[in-house]
Each structure stands twice: as structure tokens, then as C-alpha cells.
């Protein structure tokens, strides 16, 4: 019997085997959970299909489109019934705005980063209420760039700050339905998202040097916290940003 035996978890945001979302999914599956995955479009589906053999567990969902979210959750409910948790691992910003000065951020780029990276959590929670059990858990992924100025992180850092604030308000408003909402502030990991940041190699190197043991955090370690937050052991944890970065935020 694992920590999540009998639970069904919806994971949104797996791009490939290096994704933090994939690391979370793997640990949760090891702990007994049945995992359902969303993918943005047919192009993105190809990457997820290489990891998940059962196509029935793959559901199309464009987090930038309310109708797509509603349809995806309707499909999930029809195939699997209600679920016990949702992992929100969705973020995007224009690559050209993840370098240089924050003054280079365009109005459209600012709006896009906030729409995909922050508002999508509110939309997922809004339409996800119908498919969540009581109790249930929503976990989103954030990064230290929401609190400190990280080179080239720029508009994504501001969007992550918005995401964290959104998480806290959702935690307040969804508590009466038995849904707890939290965020994991993951350390720097070589993912597809990170490689879109100018100078990402230096960022990863510096982050590794600042860990307490000189070793970078792994997606499995991040997944361990995600599994805990999805479990009934975490029913008292609400509205928190919890670090899994091997102490980088301490220095």
C-alpha cells in the first residue's frame, strides 16, 4: 500500500521525460496513484505518448482556452469519475523576453505570460471543482524568481509572483469545498522550460553551487513533496509555498 493508493491524480504540463511534472507523476504512481495526463495539442501529444503507453489516460487541454479546459475535465470525469488532485505545471513566456532588461517586456508579452502562467491556475481550479473529490489537492509549480531577481527570468518572475498570490486566494476560497491549494517552489532543473532562458547554463551552475550539499535537486525529490501534498497526510497544509531546492533560497 502506497501513500496514494486508490487515488486518481490529473497532471497538467508534462512535455518530456525531463519535465518536473513527469518526475512528480512518476513518484505519485510509485505511491499507488492512477495518473491522468493532459497535453496542449497534437504536437505536444507526441512527446507525452512516448512516456505513457495508454492513450486513454491522455486528454487534450489547452490551458489558454476555457472551453478546452471544460471539455477536458468533462472527458476526465466521463472516463475516470472524480479525481483526488490536480498538478498544475503550466507556464509560458516569449523567449525573447527572457533575456536582457525587464524594460524589453512588451505589453502583449506581459499579458501572455500572466495568462498562461498565472491565470490558468484560476481557470483550472474554477472548472476543476466539478471533478474533485472532498478532500482533494491542487498543487502548482513556482520558482524562486518570484521573490528574488534572477538574471534573464524577467517577466516570468513577475508571472510566478502572480501565480503564488493566485494560489493563496484560491486556497482561501476553495477550502470550504475541501480542496487545499499549495505551491512547490522547485530548484533549478534542466527542463525544456529552463533551456528557454538566456544563460540557463550559468543559472543551473550557480544554483548547484548554492545547494547545501553541492548537488542539484532532482525531479524525483520534487515529486516526493508533490506526492505528500496529494496525500491525506497533508490535509492541514493550505496556501503555502514550499521550497524543494536543497537550500538555494537560504543564501
Amino acid at each position: 500500500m502506497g501513500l496514494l493508493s486508490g487515488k486518481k491524480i490529473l497532471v497538467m504540463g508534462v512535455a518530456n521525460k525531463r519535465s518536473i511534472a513527469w518526475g512528480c507523476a512518476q513518484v505519485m504512481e510509485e505511491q499507488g496513484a492512477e495518473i491522468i495526463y493532459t497535453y496542449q495539442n497534437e504536437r505536444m501529444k507526441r512527446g507525452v505518448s512516448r512516456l505513457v503507453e495508454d492513450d486513454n489516460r491522455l486528454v487534450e487541454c489547452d490551458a489558454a482556452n476555457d472551453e478546452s479546459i471544460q471539455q477536458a475535465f468533462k472527458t476526465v470525469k466521463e472516463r475516470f469519475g472524480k479525481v483526488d488532485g490536480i498538478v498544475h505545471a503550466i507556464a509560458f513566456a516569449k523567449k525573447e523576453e527572457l533575456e536582457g532588461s525587464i524594460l524589453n517586456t512588451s505589453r502583449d508579452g506581459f499579458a501572455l505570460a500572466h495568462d498562461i502562467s498565472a491565470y490558468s491556475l484560476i481557470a483550472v481550479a474554477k472548472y476543476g471543482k466539478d471533478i474533485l473529490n472532498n478532500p482533494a489537492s491542487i498543487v502548482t509549480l513556482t520558482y524562486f524568481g518570484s521573490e528574488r531577481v534572477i538574471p534573464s527570468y524577467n517577466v516570468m518572475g513577475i508571472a510566478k509572483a502572480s501565480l503564488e498570490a493566485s494560489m493563496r486566494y484560491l486556497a482561501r476560497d476553495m477550502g470550504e469545498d475541501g480542496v487545499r491549494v499549495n505551491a512547490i517552489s522547485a530548484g533549478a532543473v534542466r527542463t525544456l522550460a529552463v533551456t528557454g532562458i538566456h544563460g540557463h547554463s550559468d543559472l543551473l551552475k550557480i544554483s548547484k553551487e548554492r545547494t547545501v550539499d553541492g548537488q542539484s535537486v532532482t525531479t524525483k525529490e520534487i515529486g516526493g513533496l508533490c506526492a505528500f501534498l496529494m496525500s491525506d497526510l497533508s490535509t492541514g497544509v493550505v496556501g503555502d509555498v514550499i521550497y524543494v531546492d536543497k537550500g538555494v533560497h537560504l543564501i
Side-chain angles (χ1 to χ4, degrees), residues 25 71 137 153 158 160:
Q71 181 57 51
S137 176
Y153 204 58
I158 302 171
K160 288 296 188 183

Side-chain angles (χ1 to χ4, degrees), residues 10 12 38 61-78 81-83 85-86 88 115 119-133 138 170 174 177 179:
L10 179 64
M12 310 179 73
T38 68
C61 181
D62 182 354
N65 184 296
D66 286 356
E67 291 182 0
S68 180
I69 298 172
Q70 287 179 283
Q71 181 57 51
F73 289 174
K74 180 181 178 182
T75 300
V76 169
K77 192 172 183 180
E78 289 172 351
K82 288 197 170 186
V83 301
I86 299 174
H88 172 275
D115 182 22
Y119 181 75
S120 64
L121 176 65
I122 296 176
V124 164
K126 176 180 179 179
Y127 299 116
K129 281 177 60 177
D130 184 51
I131 66 168
L132 287 169
N133 283 317
I138 296 176
L170 285 170
M174 300 191 76
D177 298 310
V179 180

Side-chain angles (χ1 to χ4, degrees), residues 190-248:
R190 188 180 292 278
T191 63
L192 183 64
V194 167
T195 56
I197 300 171
H198 181 73
H200 66 272
S201 294
D202 291 336
L203 172 62
L204 291 166
K205 181 176 180 289
I206 293 169
S207 180
K208 182 178 180 179
E209 290 172 348
R210 294 189 178 186
T211 61
V212 294
D213 62 359
Q215 298 298 317
S216 297
V217 70
T218 66
T219 57
K220 186 171 183 179
E221 289 171 326
I222 299 166
L225 176 61
C226 188
F228 165 72
L229 290 174
M230 286 291 159
S231 79
D232 292 339
L233 293 178
S234 69
T235 53
V237 183
V238 178
D240 282 326
V241 177
I242 306 175
Y243 293 96
V244 187
D245 65 359
K246 287 203 168 182
V248 172

